[in-house]
Amino acid sequence: MHEPTISFSIHEDQEKEIKQILSAVYDALRQKGYNPINQIVGYILSEDPTYITTYNNARSLIRRIDRDELLQILVKSYLSE
């Protein structure tokens, strides 16, 4: 008998990774005393990395995310709930 084939969606994996990165960045900003929502929105609008702290490598992490893809995921998440 053949084992059932398991399929993985690359897009789902990317969304999961983006959510993990965004959560880590949010936590780092909160731990440093910033308003994480304001800082992340500032970064998304301006693409200025100085909105994101270097604490816990947050700035490097967020720069791994494509802003357009991040916005698509955020809008999709907002509208699906």
Side-chain angles (χ1 to χ4, degrees):
M1 296 210 85
H2 294 306
E3 293 291 323
T5 301
I6 299 174
S7 64
F8 296 98
S9 169
I10 292 173
H11 188 67
E12 286 176 17
D13 290 344
Q14 287 175 324
E15 279 190 30
K16 185 177 179 181
E17 181 182 5
I18 288 172
K19 287 178 183 180
Q20 290 172 341
I21 290 172
L22 199 55
S23 292
V25 169
Y26 181 93
D27 289 340
L29 288 164
R30 186 179 45 77
Q31 289 172 16
K32 290 304 282 183
Y34 295 106
N35 179 323
I37 301 299
N38 289 348
Q39 296 303 114
I40 291 169
V41 168
Y43 170 75
I44 291 171
L45 293 176
S46 69
E47 201 170 9
D48 181 356
T50 60
Y51 276 97
I52 307 300
T53 182
T54 57
Y55 180 71
N56 281 348
N57 209 27
R59 189 176 295 166
S60 295
L61 287 173
I62 202 156
R63 295 192 81 192
R64 292 175 30 197
I65 300 173
D66 178 71
R67 282 188 323 149
D68 291 338
E69 189 173 358
L70 175 58
L71 284 171
Q72 288 175 10
I73 290 169
L74 292 172
V75 170
K76 178 182 165 186
S77 174
Y78 181 81
L79 293 176
S80 68
E81 292 186 21

